Amino acid sequence: MSKTAFITGATSGFGLACARRFAAEGWNLVLTGRRAERLDAICDELSSLCKVLTLTLDVCDADAVKSTIAALPQEFRQVSLLLNNAGLALGTAPAQECDLTEWKQMIDTNISGLTTVTHALLPTLIEQGKGASIINLGSIAGHWPYPGGNVYCGTKAFVEQFSYGLRCDLSGTGVRVTNLAPGLSESEFTLVRTGGNQAAHDQLYQGTDPIQPEDIAETVYWIATLPSHLNINQLEVMPVSQAWSPFSVHRHA
Ligand code: NDP
Ligand code: 8X3
């Protein structure tokens, strides 16, 4: 019998690439995002490969998340993979110049949304037991601070620690939990972060051979299909072009 994956943020980037990867293997898919027209197009694209259910869902709307998951049709209820991928960064300004509404949106999406979806799907994941997985999209931003990362970095540090906490609590259930932490990756992420600044997007990725969404999809597929006695706790992935810098040191005059 086909397994079912529930993917948040399937309308672009990593989520869309993962939907395509799992569809190619015949998984049943529940695909969510806010942009309905994109979900319709993805449904048309993938429905010859697998059973697809697309749901227009804002992960920040806790009531909608709960009622939508409670009302999943019977053939999509046995979710054995939750890919908590929906997320965003907004802005790159220093903290003292940031817009509080953007901070709140990042916290609402990357923390509250992710925890709400997880909470709603935990019973079914535990029911599936051995071989079921939760894969959370963390980031190198959760490990390494950088100027202008402030709240975004904080949200991804939460994702990592929450993933470890889930691992502890789910011990004995068979459900696996992974914090997948990519580095520089080319998707719509930078367009969203900069309010649609194509030049900023092009400049960031130019000449870097960044991670592509298909790379992450391959990694997610690998994690989800490992033998059921194995758990990848944490996986940090960077493009070869990316590495660390020395600490910055401010010198007074
Ligand atoms: P994209 O901007 O391409 O995709 C983000 C996805 O999240 C979209 O499908 C978007 O769908 C969805 N989304 C955003 N807000 C909401 C919301 N409130 N409710 C439901 N869905 C939402 O970026 P990526 O694919 O790069 O990002 C995916 C994840 O990976 C994010 O969590 C990001 O933080 C993380 N990440 C990204 C890296 C990168 O460099 N690109 C590196 C490390 C981690 P819609 O707008 O239709 O709602
Ligand atoms: C996205 C990677 O380094 O732009 O999570 O924050 S970074």
Side-chain angles (χ1 to χ4, degrees):
M1 202 179 82
S2 293
K3 291 185 165 186
T4 301
F6 188 106
I7 302 178
T8 65
T11 54
S12 73
F14 299 163
L16 175 55
C18 287
R20 289 179 170 143
R21 184 70 182 85
F22 283 84
E25 305 296 335
W27 284 55
N28 300 333
L29 297 177
V30 183
L31 305 178
T32 72
R34 292 166 300 177
R35 286 170 288 183
E37 69 292 350
R38 288 212 186 185
L39 289 169
D40 290 346
I42 296 160
C43 189
D44 287 348
E45 177 190 330
L46 301 182
S47 53
S48 62
L49 297 171
C50 64
K51 284 188 191 158
V52 191
L53 174 68
T54 52
L55 299 169
T56 308
L57 186 63
D58 182 341
V59 295
C60 300
D61 184 342
D63 290 339
V65 168
K66 285 181 228 166
S67 58
T68 301
I69 290 175
L72 279 176
Q74 193 54 41
E75 57 182 333
F76 292 98
R77 294 188 76 80
Q78 274 79 46
V79 174
S80 65
L81 168 63
L82 166 58
L83 180 61
N84 270 319
N85 165 76
L88 80 177
L90 293 172
T92 53
Q96 56 276 28
E97 293 166 21
C98 282
D99 177 347
L100 186 59
T101 57
E102 291 190 337
W103 278 7
K104 287 189 168 158
Q105 191 180 342
M106 287 188 274
I107 293 166
D108 284 351
T109 310
N110 302 356
I111 298 181
S112 303
L114 181 143
T115 50
T116 307
V117 174
T118 305
H119 188 267
L121 281 170
L122 273 176
T124 182
L125 287 158
I126 291 169
E127 222 172 85
Q128 307 317 306
K130 211 167 177 209
S133 308
I134 300 171
I135 302 179
N136 293 327
L137 259 297
S139 168
I140 58 165
H143 301 159
W144 316 104
Y146 58 86
N150 46 68
V151 166
Y152 178 69
C153 292
T155 64
K156 292 302 181 177
F158 171 88
V159 172
E160 177 175 34
Q161 201 57 31
F162 180 56
S163 303
Y164 295 157
L166 284 171
R167 270 282 279 141
C168 297
D169 293 348
L170 292 172
S171 175
T173 66
V175 180
R176 307 177 286 186
V177 187
T178 300
N179 180 56
L180 175 57
L184 188 72
S185 311
E186 188 170 13
S187 63
E188 293 181 16
F189 178 84
T190 299
L191 285 175
V192 171
R193 184 172 211 168
T194 60
N197 185 336
Q198 187 66 48
H201 170 101
D202 295 346
Q203 194 185 5
L204 180 64
Y205 301 111
Q206 196 212 347
T208 65
D209 294 331
I211 295 172
Q212 295 298 321
E214 293 71 26
D215 300 321
I216 295 303
E218 200 54 43
T219 308
V220 168
Y221 186 75
W222 173 73
I223 293 169
T225 56
L226 280 167
S228 59
H229 64 289
L230 295 177
N231 192 103
I232 303 295
N233 298 332
Q234 139 77 13
L235 186 60
E236 189 180 274
V237 188
M238 287 184 185
V240 175
S241 59
Q242 187 172 36
W244 300 270
S245 292
F247 284 117
S248 81
V249 178
H250 175 75
R251 296 178 199 283
H252 58 75

